[in-house]
Amino acid sequence: MTGYLLRAALVYCLLAAAIGIGTTANAQTLALVGGKAYASPDAVPLDDAVIVTTNGVITAIGSRNEVQIPSDAKVIDCTGKTVVAGFWNSHVHFTQAVWKNAGSAPAAPLQEHMREMLTRWGFTTVWDVGSDPSDTLPLRRRINSGEVLGPDIHTAGSIFPRGGHPAYLPPEMQLPEAATPDEAAQMTRGYLRAGLDGIKLFTGSYKGEDKPVVNMDVAVAKAAVDIAHAQGKPVFAHPQNTAGVEAVIAAGVDVMAHTVARQPGYPPEQLARFKQQGIALTPTLSLFAKLPLPPEIVARIVDNIVGQLKSFSESGGTVLFGTDVGYIQLYDTTLEYELMHRALSERQILASLTTNPAQYFKAAKKGRVEKGFDADVVVLDGDPVADVKNLARVAYTIRAGKVIYQKL
Ligand SMILES: [Zn+2]
Protein backbone atom coordinates (compact mmCIF):
# COMPACT_ATOMS: atom_id res chain seq x y z
CA MET A 1 0.00 0.00 0.00
CA THR A 2 1.42 3.40 -0.91
CA GLY A 3 1.84 6.12 1.67
CA TYR A 4 -1.08 8.00 0.16
CA LEU A 5 -3.43 5.01 0.39
CA LEU A 6 -2.29 4.32 3.93
CA ARG A 7 -3.08 7.90 4.89
CA ALA A 8 -6.41 7.74 3.10
CA ALA A 9 -7.27 4.51 4.92
CA LEU A 10 -6.30 6.09 8.22
CA VAL A 11 -8.40 9.16 7.52
CA TYR A 12 -11.30 6.91 6.61
CA CYS A 13 -10.93 4.98 9.88
CA LEU A 14 -10.85 8.16 11.90
CA LEU A 15 -13.84 9.48 9.99
CA ALA A 16 -15.68 6.21 10.44
CA ALA A 17 -15.03 6.31 14.18
CA ALA A 18 -16.15 9.94 14.34
CA ILE A 19 -19.43 9.48 12.51
CA GLY A 20 -20.10 6.02 13.84
CA ILE A 21 -19.81 3.83 10.74
CA GLY A 22 -20.18 0.21 11.79
CA THR A 23 -22.59 1.09 14.57
CA THR A 24 -25.75 -0.76 15.40
CA ALA A 25 -27.65 1.42 12.90
CA ASN A 26 -25.68 -0.33 10.13
CA ALA A 27 -25.82 -3.81 11.60
CA GLN A 28 -25.72 -6.44 8.88
CA THR A 29 -28.44 -8.94 8.12
CA LEU A 30 -28.13 -12.00 10.35
CA ALA A 31 -29.78 -15.39 10.00
CA LEU A 32 -29.80 -17.62 13.09
CA VAL A 33 -30.43 -21.05 11.63
CA GLY A 34 -31.35 -24.45 13.05
CA GLY A 35 -31.79 -23.73 16.77
CA LYS A 36 -34.69 -24.17 19.14
CA ALA A 37 -36.34 -20.77 19.70
CA TYR A 38 -38.46 -19.53 22.59
CA ALA A 39 -40.34 -16.47 21.31
CA SER A 40 -41.26 -15.74 24.95
CA PRO A 41 -40.88 -17.53 28.28
CA ASP A 42 -44.35 -19.10 28.13
CA ALA A 43 -44.25 -20.03 24.42
CA VAL A 44 -44.03 -23.53 23.00
CA PRO A 45 -40.49 -23.71 21.57
CA LEU A 46 -40.03 -23.72 17.82
CA ASP A 47 -37.60 -26.40 16.62
CA ASP A 48 -35.23 -25.97 13.67
CA ALA A 49 -36.02 -22.25 13.66
CA VAL A 50 -34.78 -19.50 11.37
CA ILE A 51 -34.60 -15.97 12.76
CA VAL A 52 -33.64 -13.11 10.46
CA THR A 53 -32.56 -9.69 11.71
CA THR A 54 -32.15 -6.64 9.49
CA ASN A 55 -31.10 -3.14 10.55
CA GLY A 56 -31.34 -4.07 14.20
CA VAL A 57 -34.86 -5.49 14.02
CA ILE A 58 -36.18 -9.06 13.89
CA THR A 59 -37.74 -9.30 10.43
CA ALA A 60 -38.70 -12.99 10.40
CA ILE A 61 -39.04 -15.99 12.70
CA GLY A 62 -40.36 -19.37 11.67
CA SER A 63 -39.41 -22.90 10.78
CA ARG A 64 -36.80 -23.55 8.12
CA ASN A 65 -39.34 -24.19 5.35
CA GLU A 66 -41.32 -21.02 6.21
CA VAL A 67 -38.51 -18.46 6.29
CA GLN A 68 -36.27 -17.62 3.34
CA ILE A 69 -32.68 -16.84 4.32
CA PRO A 70 -31.64 -13.60 2.55
CA SER A 71 -28.67 -14.14 0.21
CA ASP A 72 -26.63 -11.36 1.87
CA ALA A 73 -27.21 -12.65 5.42
CA LYS A 74 -24.40 -13.69 7.71
CA VAL A 75 -25.54 -17.14 8.80
CA ILE A 76 -25.02 -18.27 12.40
CA ASP A 77 -25.44 -22.02 12.78
CA CYS A 78 -27.55 -22.61 15.88
CA THR A 79 -27.84 -26.40 15.56
CA GLY A 80 -28.17 -27.89 19.05
CA LYS A 81 -28.52 -24.42 20.56
CA THR A 82 -31.45 -22.44 21.97
CA VAL A 83 -32.42 -18.89 21.03
CA VAL A 84 -34.10 -16.58 23.57
CA ALA A 85 -34.57 -12.82 23.90
CA GLY A 86 -31.67 -10.65 25.12
CA PHE A 87 -31.24 -10.56 28.90
CA TRP A 88 -31.67 -7.61 31.26
CA ASN A 89 -29.68 -7.26 34.46
CA SER A 90 -31.65 -4.70 36.44
CA HIS A 91 -29.03 -4.20 39.17
CA VAL A 92 -25.43 -3.51 38.09
CA HIS A 93 -22.77 -0.88 38.88
CA PHE A 94 -20.11 0.75 36.70
CA THR A 95 -17.96 1.70 39.69
CA GLN A 96 -14.84 -0.45 39.28
CA ALA A 97 -11.48 1.24 38.59
CA VAL A 98 -11.56 0.14 34.93
CA TRP A 99 -14.47 2.55 34.21
CA LYS A 100 -12.62 5.62 35.56
CA ASN A 101 -12.36 8.30 32.85
CA ALA A 102 -14.41 6.10 30.54
CA GLY A 103 -14.81 9.06 28.20
CA SER A 104 -11.11 9.16 27.28
CA ALA A 105 -9.78 5.71 28.28
CA PRO A 106 -8.66 3.33 25.48
CA ALA A 107 -11.60 1.30 24.14
CA ALA A 108 -9.99 -2.16 24.36
CA PRO A 109 -9.86 -2.58 28.18
CA LEU A 110 -13.38 -1.17 28.50
CA GLN A 111 -14.72 -3.70 26.00
CA GLU A 112 -12.71 -6.54 27.55
CA HIS A 113 -14.18 -5.83 30.99
CA MET A 114 -17.65 -5.34 29.56
CA ARG A 115 -17.35 -8.84 28.12
CA GLU A 116 -16.15 -10.44 31.36
CA MET A 117 -18.81 -8.72 33.44
CA LEU A 118 -21.87 -8.57 31.17
CA THR A 119 -21.92 -9.46 27.47
CA ARG A 120 -20.60 -13.01 27.88
CA TRP A 121 -23.52 -13.68 30.24
CA GLY A 122 -26.09 -12.59 27.66
CA PHE A 123 -26.90 -9.08 28.89
CA THR A 124 -28.14 -6.71 26.19
CA THR A 125 -29.76 -4.18 28.56
CA VAL A 126 -28.71 -3.18 32.07
CA TRP A 127 -29.80 -0.84 34.84
CA ASP A 128 -26.81 0.75 36.54
CA VAL A 129 -28.19 1.76 39.94
CA GLY A 130 -25.36 3.87 41.28
CA SER A 131 -22.08 5.01 39.71
CA ASP A 132 -20.31 8.22 38.76
CA PRO A 133 -22.35 9.70 35.89
CA SER A 134 -19.23 11.43 34.55
CA ASP A 135 -17.90 7.92 33.76
CA THR A 136 -21.14 6.12 32.94
CA LEU A 137 -22.66 8.68 30.54
CA PRO A 138 -19.54 8.81 28.28
CA LEU A 139 -19.27 5.00 28.50
CA ARG A 140 -22.84 4.71 27.27
CA ARG A 141 -22.11 7.20 24.47
CA ARG A 142 -19.11 5.16 23.29
CA ILE A 143 -21.13 1.93 23.36
CA ASN A 144 -24.00 3.45 21.44
CA SER A 145 -21.62 4.84 18.81
CA GLY A 146 -20.35 1.30 18.20
CA GLU A 147 -16.83 2.05 19.46
CA VAL A 148 -17.15 -0.29 22.48
CA LEU A 149 -19.29 -3.44 22.31
CA GLY A 150 -21.71 -3.45 25.20
CA PRO A 151 -25.30 -3.47 26.40
CA ASP A 152 -27.93 -0.75 26.34
CA ILE A 153 -27.22 1.13 29.60
CA HIS A 154 -29.83 2.82 31.77
CA THR A 155 -28.38 4.65 34.73
CA ALA A 156 -29.86 5.91 38.03
CA GLY A 157 -28.49 8.63 40.33
CA SER A 158 -28.05 7.77 44.02
CA ILE A 159 -29.38 9.67 47.04
CA PHE A 160 -28.38 8.73 50.60
CA PRO A 161 -30.04 9.76 53.87
CA ARG A 162 -28.18 12.25 56.05
CA GLY A 163 -25.41 10.38 57.90
CA GLY A 164 -26.07 7.38 55.67
CA HIS A 165 -22.61 6.79 54.18
CA PRO A 166 -22.58 2.95 53.98
CA ALA A 167 -19.83 1.07 55.83
CA TYR A 168 -18.87 -0.83 52.64
CA LEU A 169 -18.00 2.30 50.62
CA PRO A 170 -14.66 4.12 51.11
CA PRO A 171 -15.12 6.86 53.76
CA GLU A 172 -13.37 9.44 51.55
CA MET A 173 -15.89 8.88 48.73
CA GLN A 174 -18.17 11.91 48.31
CA LEU A 175 -21.80 10.77 48.44
CA PRO A 176 -24.94 12.84 47.84
CA GLU A 177 -26.85 12.92 51.17
CA ALA A 178 -30.27 14.58 51.34
CA ALA A 179 -31.29 15.93 54.75
CA THR A 180 -34.59 17.48 53.64
CA PRO A 181 -37.28 16.91 51.00
CA ASP A 182 -36.08 20.04 49.21
CA GLU A 183 -32.56 18.69 48.93
CA ALA A 184 -33.84 15.35 47.61
CA ALA A 185 -36.00 17.15 45.05
CA GLN A 186 -33.08 19.30 43.93
CA MET A 187 -30.77 16.28 43.53
CA THR A 188 -33.42 14.39 41.58
CA ARG A 189 -33.97 17.31 39.19
CA GLY A 190 -30.20 17.63 38.72
CA TYR A 191 -29.76 13.94 37.87
CA LEU A 192 -32.61 13.89 35.39
CA ARG A 193 -31.45 17.15 33.78
CA ALA A 194 -28.00 15.57 33.32
CA GLY A 195 -29.58 12.75 31.29
CA LEU A 196 -29.91 10.00 33.91
CA ASP A 197 -32.82 7.59 33.57
CA GLY A 198 -33.92 7.04 37.17
CA ILE A 199 -33.15 7.51 40.87
CA LYS A 200 -31.79 5.13 43.52
CA LEU A 201 -32.64 5.88 47.14
CA PHE A 202 -30.97 4.35 50.19
CA THR A 203 -34.12 4.05 52.31
CA GLY A 204 -31.92 2.04 54.66
CA SER A 205 -28.15 2.38 54.81
CA TYR A 206 -25.83 -0.21 56.40
CA LYS A 207 -23.37 1.35 58.88
CA GLY A 208 -21.64 -1.80 60.16
CA GLU A 209 -22.48 -4.83 62.32
CA ASP A 210 -22.45 -2.95 65.64
CA LYS A 211 -24.26 0.21 64.45
CA PRO A 212 -27.92 0.91 63.73
CA VAL A 213 -29.11 1.20 60.11
CA VAL A 214 -29.70 4.82 59.03
CA ASN A 215 -33.10 5.12 57.37
CA MET A 216 -34.32 7.83 55.03
CA ASP A 217 -37.32 9.86 56.17
CA VAL A 218 -40.39 9.01 54.11
CA ALA A 219 -40.88 12.72 53.25
CA VAL A 220 -37.33 12.87 51.82
CA ALA A 221 -37.88 9.70 49.77
CA LYS A 222 -41.28 10.87 48.59
CA ALA A 223 -39.93 14.21 47.36
CA ALA A 224 -37.53 12.32 45.04
CA VAL A 225 -40.22 9.85 43.94
CA ASP A 226 -42.69 12.63 43.07
CA ILE A 227 -40.22 14.47 40.83
CA ALA A 228 -39.02 11.28 39.14
CA HIS A 229 -42.54 10.02 38.50
CA ALA A 230 -43.65 13.40 37.12
CA GLN A 231 -40.95 12.87 34.47
CA GLY A 232 -41.88 9.22 33.90
CA LYS A 233 -38.69 7.89 35.52
CA PRO A 234 -38.47 4.88 37.87
CA VAL A 235 -37.14 4.92 41.43
CA PHE A 236 -35.11 2.07 42.94
CA ALA A 237 -34.37 1.64 46.63
CA HIS A 238 -31.88 -0.21 48.78
CA PRO A 239 -34.11 -1.13 51.76
CA GLN A 240 -31.67 -2.87 54.18
CA ASN A 241 -34.20 -3.42 57.01
CA THR A 242 -37.92 -3.40 57.82
CA ALA A 243 -38.05 0.38 58.22
CA GLY A 244 -36.40 0.66 54.79
CA VAL A 245 -39.07 -1.59 53.25
CA GLU A 246 -41.81 0.43 54.97
CA ALA A 247 -40.29 3.62 53.48
CA VAL A 248 -40.35 2.00 50.01
CA ILE A 249 -44.07 1.36 50.41
CA ALA A 250 -44.95 4.72 51.98
CA ALA A 251 -42.94 6.80 49.47
CA GLY A 252 -44.16 4.92 46.37
CA VAL A 253 -40.76 3.55 45.26
CA ASP A 254 -40.92 1.27 42.19
CA VAL A 255 -38.16 -1.33 42.56
CA MET A 256 -36.63 -2.90 45.66
CA ALA A 257 -32.98 -3.41 44.70
CA HIS A 258 -32.47 -6.33 47.13
CA THR A 259 -34.27 -8.86 49.26
CA VAL A 260 -33.82 -8.10 52.98
CA ALA A 261 -31.49 -10.49 54.80
CA ARG A 262 -32.31 -9.01 58.21
CA GLN A 263 -36.08 -9.31 58.07
CA PRO A 264 -37.62 -12.78 58.46
CA GLY A 265 -39.84 -13.17 55.39
CA TYR A 266 -42.23 -10.51 54.13
CA PRO A 267 -45.35 -10.20 56.30
CA PRO A 268 -48.72 -10.51 54.46
CA GLU A 269 -49.40 -6.74 54.80
CA GLN A 270 -46.15 -5.93 52.96
CA LEU A 271 -46.85 -8.53 50.26
CA ALA A 272 -50.31 -7.04 49.71
CA ARG A 273 -48.84 -3.54 49.34
CA PHE A 274 -46.15 -4.74 46.91
CA LYS A 275 -48.87 -6.21 44.72
CA GLN A 276 -51.24 -3.26 45.07
CA GLN A 277 -48.54 -0.68 44.25
CA GLY A 278 -46.82 -2.71 41.53
CA ILE A 279 -43.50 -2.79 43.39
CA ALA A 280 -40.86 -4.94 41.67
CA LEU A 281 -37.90 -6.83 43.18
CA THR A 282 -34.34 -7.61 42.07
CA PRO A 283 -33.43 -10.53 44.38
CA THR A 284 -29.55 -10.33 44.30
CA LEU A 285 -29.44 -13.73 46.04
CA SER A 286 -25.82 -14.60 45.19
CA LEU A 287 -24.68 -11.31 46.77
CA PHE A 288 -25.92 -12.59 50.14
CA ALA A 289 -24.76 -16.17 49.47
CA LYS A 290 -21.20 -14.83 49.16
CA LEU A 291 -21.19 -12.81 52.40
CA PRO A 292 -18.00 -13.38 54.41
CA LEU A 293 -19.84 -14.99 57.36
CA PRO A 294 -19.81 -18.49 58.88
CA PRO A 295 -21.47 -21.00 56.49
CA GLU A 296 -24.37 -21.82 58.84
CA ILE A 297 -25.30 -18.13 59.10
CA VAL A 298 -25.05 -17.70 55.31
CA ALA A 299 -27.26 -20.78 54.83
CA ARG A 300 -29.89 -19.29 57.15
CA ILE A 301 -29.79 -15.92 55.35
CA VAL A 302 -30.12 -17.63 51.95
CA ASP A 303 -33.09 -19.73 53.15
CA ASN A 304 -34.73 -16.52 54.32
CA ILE A 305 -34.23 -14.52 51.11
CA VAL A 306 -35.19 -17.47 48.90
CA GLY A 307 -38.40 -17.59 50.95
CA GLN A 308 -38.91 -13.85 50.39
CA LEU A 309 -38.50 -14.29 46.63
CA LYS A 310 -40.96 -17.19 46.63
CA SER A 311 -43.64 -15.38 48.61
CA PHE A 312 -43.09 -12.17 46.61
CA SER A 313 -43.57 -14.03 43.32
CA GLU A 314 -46.49 -16.16 44.54
CA SER A 315 -48.34 -13.05 45.69
CA GLY A 316 -48.08 -11.63 42.15
CA GLY A 317 -45.04 -9.35 42.38
CA THR A 318 -42.83 -8.63 39.36
CA VAL A 319 -39.37 -10.19 39.68
CA LEU A 320 -36.57 -8.48 37.73
CA PHE A 321 -33.29 -10.40 37.43
CA GLY A 322 -30.50 -8.47 39.16
CA THR A 323 -27.17 -9.39 40.78
CA ASP A 324 -25.38 -6.22 41.97
CA VAL A 325 -22.51 -7.15 39.65
CA GLY A 326 -19.82 -4.48 39.57
CA TYR A 327 -20.20 -4.10 43.32
CA ILE A 328 -19.63 -7.87 43.63
CA GLN A 329 -16.92 -9.50 41.53
CA LEU A 330 -18.95 -12.68 40.88
CA TYR A 331 -19.62 -12.37 37.14
CA ASP A 332 -20.77 -15.95 36.48
CA THR A 333 -24.58 -15.94 36.77
CA THR A 334 -24.91 -19.71 37.40
CA LEU A 335 -25.24 -19.43 41.20
CA GLU A 336 -27.92 -16.72 40.92
CA TYR A 337 -29.98 -18.97 38.60
CA GLU A 338 -29.57 -21.97 40.92
CA LEU A 339 -30.67 -19.97 43.96
CA MET A 340 -33.60 -18.37 42.11
CA HIS A 341 -34.63 -21.85 40.99
CA ARG A 342 -35.27 -22.76 44.64
CA ALA A 343 -38.17 -20.26 44.47
CA LEU A 344 -39.12 -19.96 40.78
CA SER A 345 -39.58 -22.17 37.70
CA GLU A 346 -37.14 -22.05 34.78
CA ARG A 347 -39.71 -20.12 32.73
CA GLN A 348 -40.28 -17.61 35.54
CA ILE A 349 -36.54 -17.00 35.70
CA LEU A 350 -36.41 -16.50 31.92
CA ALA A 351 -39.28 -14.00 32.30
CA SER A 352 -37.31 -12.09 34.98
CA LEU A 353 -34.53 -11.69 32.37
CA THR A 354 -36.72 -10.75 29.40
CA THR A 355 -40.47 -10.03 29.37
CA ASN A 356 -40.76 -8.77 32.98
CA PRO A 357 -38.19 -5.93 32.68
CA ALA A 358 -39.32 -5.06 29.13
CA GLN A 359 -42.87 -4.66 30.37
CA TYR A 360 -41.98 -3.00 33.66
CA PHE A 361 -39.68 -0.41 32.08
CA LYS A 362 -42.04 0.06 29.10
CA ALA A 363 -39.63 -1.13 26.41
CA ALA A 364 -42.40 -2.23 24.05
CA LYS A 365 -40.02 -3.68 21.42
CA LYS A 366 -37.86 -5.72 23.78
CA GLY A 367 -38.18 -8.98 25.71
CA ARG A 368 -39.44 -11.28 22.92
CA VAL A 369 -38.09 -12.96 19.81
CA GLU A 370 -40.85 -11.80 17.50
CA LYS A 371 -41.12 -10.07 14.15
CA GLY A 372 -40.85 -6.30 14.60
CA PHE A 373 -39.03 -6.55 17.93
CA ASP A 374 -35.50 -5.25 18.54
CA ALA A 375 -32.91 -7.82 17.47
CA ASP A 376 -31.66 -8.35 21.04
CA VAL A 377 -31.10 -12.10 21.21
CA VAL A 378 -29.09 -14.65 23.18
CA VAL A 379 -27.99 -17.99 21.73
CA LEU A 380 -27.49 -20.57 24.50
CA ASP A 381 -25.57 -23.85 24.34
CA GLY A 382 -28.52 -25.69 25.89
CA ASP A 383 -32.25 -25.42 26.63
CA PRO A 384 -32.79 -23.35 29.82
CA VAL A 385 -36.19 -24.94 30.42
CA ALA A 386 -34.48 -28.35 30.66
CA ASP A 387 -31.73 -27.03 32.96
CA VAL A 388 -31.72 -23.52 34.41
CA LYS A 389 -27.90 -23.47 34.41
CA ASN A 390 -28.04 -23.31 30.61
CA LEU A 391 -29.03 -19.62 31.01
CA ALA A 392 -25.35 -19.02 31.85
CA ARG A 393 -23.99 -21.04 28.89
CA VAL A 394 -23.98 -18.27 26.30
CA ALA A 395 -22.70 -18.87 22.76
CA TYR A 396 -23.68 -15.49 21.25
CA THR A 397 -25.02 -12.23 22.59
CA ILE A 398 -26.62 -10.06 19.91
CA ARG A 399 -27.74 -6.50 20.52
CA ALA A 400 -29.68 -4.58 17.84
CA GLY A 401 -28.65 -7.18 15.27
CA LYS A 402 -24.95 -6.93 16.05
CA VAL A 403 -22.91 -9.70 17.69
CA ILE A 404 -21.50 -8.14 20.90
CA TYR A 405 -20.20 -11.43 22.32
CA GLN A 406 -19.24 -14.68 20.67
CA LYS A 407 -17.85 -17.67 22.55
CA LEU A 408 -14.49 -18.64 21.07
ZN1 LIG B 1 -26.04 -2.34 44.24
Side-chain angles (χ1 to χ4, degrees):
M1 201 185 274
T2 67
Y4 168 76
L5 278 176
L6 251 177
R7 271 198 309 280
L10 183 67
V11 167
Y12 175 78
C13 288
L14 291 172
L15 199 68
I19 64 176
I21 289 176
T23 64
T24 47
N26 297 294
Q28 64 188 127
T29 297
L30 291 184
L32 311 180
V33 177
K36 177 194 274 192
Y38 285 92
S40 68
D42 51 5
V44 175
L46 180 65
D47 285 317
D48 201 18
V50 175
I51 296 146
V52 179
T53 79
T54 310
N55 293 327
V57 175
I58 296 167
T59 46
I61 172 169
S63 61
R64 203 190 287 256
N65 51 18
E66 289 168 342
V67 177
Q68 176 130 34
I69 300 170
S71 57
D72 64 339
K74 174 183 152 66
V75 173
I76 295 179
D77 180 10
C78 294
T79 309
K81 302 189 192 303
T82 302
V83 183
V84 293
F87 296 163
W88 294 56
N89 190 328
S90 300
H91 188 152
V92 311
H93 295 278
F94 293 108
T95 43
Q96 291 162 300
V98 65
W99 311 122
K100 268 274 149 264
N101 306 311
S104 55
L110 297 176
Q111 182 167 308
E112 165 74 22
H113 198 68
M114 198 62 83
R115 184 176 68 221
E116 287 312 303
M117 181 168 133
L118 295 168
T119 56
R120 70 164 287 192
W121 305 107
F123 297 111
T124 54
T125 307
V126 298
W127 264 100
D128 159 69
V129 292
S131 63
D132 183 342
S134 67
D135 294 326
T136 309
L137 292 175
L139 178 63
R140 165 161 81 186
R141 210 157 39 235
R142 292 178 75 183
I143 289 172
N144 290 347
S145 79
E147 192 196 351
V148 174
L149 298 179
D152 184 6
I153 296 175
H154 300 263
T155 182
S158 301
I159 302 178
F160 295 81
R162 181 171 43 183
H165 193 121
Y168 48 79
L169 293 181
E172 69 279 6
M173 193 184 259
Q174 289 287 321
L175 298 177
E177 296 182 9
T180 64
D182 271 355
E183 283 178 17
Q186 217 169 358
M187 286 175 187
T188 303
R189 282 195 202 95
Y191 282 136
L192 300 182
R193 213 170 24 236
L196 275 66
D197 311 290
I199 300 296
K200 157 85 169 290
L201 303 174
F202 283 73
T203 59
S205 194
Y206 176 75
K207 299 294 289 179
E209 276 311 289
D210 47 351
K211 301 201 180 78
V213 169
V214 172
N215 288 108
M216 182 177 277
D217 287 346
V218 171
V220 173
K222 191 162 186 316
V225 168
D226 287 347
I227 305 256
H229 284 180
Q231 299 189 34
K233 306 293 186 188
V235 179
F236 299 74
H238 176 112
Q240 191 66 35
N241 63 359
T242 301
V245 174
E246 292 300 326
V248 161
I249 292 168
V253 166
D254 303 291
V255 183
M256 292 187 290
H258 300 282
T259 44
V260 188
R262 307 282 164 142
Q263 173 184 292
Y266 292 125
E269 313 79 65
Q270 284 183 355
L271 289 169
R273 294 298 294 274
F274 297 155
K275 173 84 200 301
Q276 187 192 339
Q277 296 179 210
I279 294 170
L281 172 69
T282 61
T284 68
L285 303 178
S286 42
L287 163 76
F288 295 107
K290 290 289 181 184
L291 285 175
L293 294 170
E296 63 279 9
I297 295 182
V298 171
R300 216 177 317 138
I301 289 174
V302 169
D303 283 349
N304 181 41
I305 57 180
V306 164
Q308 286 179 357
L309 174 58
K310 193 169 164 59
S311 65
F312 180 87
S313 172
E314 282 173 356
S315 71
T318 300
V319 178
L320 307 173
F321 181 88
T323 52
D324 214 354
V325 70
Y327 170 67
I328 59 164
Q329 317 299 315
L330 176 67
Y331 303 145
D332 186 336
T333 46
T334 307
L335 176 62
E336 188 70 20
Y337 296 134
E338 288 178 310
L339 293 172
M340 289 177 85
H341 193 229
R342 288 175 54 185
L344 306 176
S345 72
E346 292 84 354
R347 288 177 187 263
Q348 285 176 315
I349 297 169
L350 182 57
S352 80
L353 288 156
T354 57
T355 43
N356 290 359
Q359 214 163 52
Y360 198 83
F361 297 114
K362 302 183 175 63
K365 295 292 182 192
K366 292 194 188 293
R368 290 168 188 271
V369 189
E370 279 179 23
K371 191 175 168 179
F373 275 61
D374 290 351
D376 292 357
V377 167
V378 183
V379 181
L380 300 169
D381 276 331
D383 184 344
V385 173
D387 181 352
V388 78
K389 293 196 291 297
N390 284 331
L391 287 168
R393 296 177 60 216
V394 174
Y396 293 89
T397 305
I398 296 164
R399 177 190 165 202
K402 185 171 174 177
V403 174
I404 61 170
Y405 167 74
Q406 176 176 359
K407 193 171 84 176
L408 294 173

